[in-house]
Amino acid sequence: MVTGLRSPWSIVFVGATALVSERDTGQVVELTGNGGTRVVGTVPGVKHGGEGGLLGLAVDGQHRLYAYSTGADGNRVQRFALTGAPGSYGLGPSTTLIDQLPSGQIHNGGRIELGPDGMLYVGVGETGQRSRAQDLGFLGGKILRITPDGGIPADNPFPGSPVYSYGHRNVQGIGWTADGRMVASELGQDTWDELNVIVPGKNYGWPLVEGTGGTARGFVDPVQTWPTDEASPSGLAVVDGTVFVANLRGTVLRAVPVADLGRSTPLYQGRHGRIRDVVRAPDGRLWILTDNTDGRGTPHPGDDRILAVSLAPAPAG
């Protein structure tokens, strides 16, 4: 679909128009068709360093753009009005929804998604402060849930707190199955990366547990794990009966059946390098975002790029 992106991180759609965030430049890029791109705007005050910068994007039904980025005082989530029209979008005025979130050279999290309940879910990494993932007063190592205006929903599991779940190391993908289950991909340390089903108010164990084995201690075990050198899961997309999980270090896209979240099938192993994000486009195809220009990959001519593949129809019956 497009080549020449620089450290891209997230893809969203405004109607049929795709927007992509670039981590290191702080730019939001619009795809204009036939492989063309243009800069929509630069998110003000983005401070790139290590894994920080302009990270996740989301778009609501009013065509407002949400952006997670690293600023001088920590990570933050802002909402931008979009000006113009397809082919001429611009960044309008911004509203800061939540700020002064933990930030660092590593584990900034950054994935944001609007849930089926209309709330905004925010994955915040523990920024290397491992033990504080267990501290409910520290917003790193958590999945947060806020309203689209930045308020704290009355039905959050911890009254007056944006914390939705805790004990996470670095959540990178968030989505929902058709039956309402929330799934999240998470980067482990030395042993196991994880796919989790997220239950409000629950503790997912980090740093006391990596991978499975925590239920006897009151933690929630992942539904699937992968060795860290084969995975490093990033963005995910739930499409009909499949959870597609992008993998960085593992250079693979994994297809996980919703009916059996403990099983997966590798796709495109090693063919396109690091895969940062995966989304379903409005035309039904699956878009795959590579990330070989972030300093950890091996760029090939044309990197970074977005690939589009058609999904096979479900078997009859």
Side-chain angles (χ1 to χ4, degrees), residues 117-164:
D117 58 0
M119 298 295 124
L120 186 67
Y121 291 79
V122 183
V124 186
E126 37 83 302
T127 66
Q129 302 180 68
R130 297 168 36 136
S131 64
R132 302 202 70 187
Q134 292 291 315
D135 177 0
L136 288 172
F138 177 74
L139 297 186
K142 312 294 189 295
I143 294 176
L144 310 182
R145 178 177 182 255
I146 59 176
T147 71
D149 294 322
I152 297 175
D155 58 348
N156 268 13
F158 304 104
S161 171
V163 173
Y164 191 70

Side-chain angles (χ1 to χ4, degrees), residues 136-273:
L136 288 172
F138 177 74
L139 297 186
K142 312 294 189 295
I143 294 176
L144 310 182
R145 178 177 182 255
I146 59 176
T147 71
D149 294 322
I152 297 175
D155 58 348
N156 268 13
F158 304 104
S161 171
V163 173
Y164 191 70
S165 62
Y166 66 110
H168 298 289
R169 184 172 181 267
N170 195 18
V171 169
Q172 291 275 292
I174 297 173
W176 287 264
T177 63
D179 60 7
R181 286 177 290 173
M182 181 179 176
V183 291
S185 58
E186 182 166 345
L187 291 155
Q189 181 167 280
D190 299 319
T191 311
W192 299 111
D193 293 325
E194 301 178 357
L195 180 67
N196 287 292
V197 172
I198 302 301
V199 179
K202 295 300 183 180
N203 185 342
Y204 287 78
W206 177 255
L208 304 175
V209 177
E210 181 180 356
T212 59
T215 55
R217 303 166 68 180
F219 305 130
V220 178
D221 274 352
V223 291
Q224 186 168 173
T225 61
W226 304 281
T228 54
D229 60 353
E230 297 177 10
S232 297
S234 187
L236 64 78
V238 183
V239 181
D240 300 328
T242 303
V243 182
F244 292 97
V245 185
N247 287 255
L248 295 162
R249 188 175 176 186
T251 65
V252 67
L253 182 73
R254 282 192 169 86
V256 178
V258 170
D260 184 2
L261 292 173
R263 183 168 60 86
S264 64
T265 300
L267 305 172
Y268 313 116
Q269 177 74 57
R271 288 174 55 181
H272 304 295

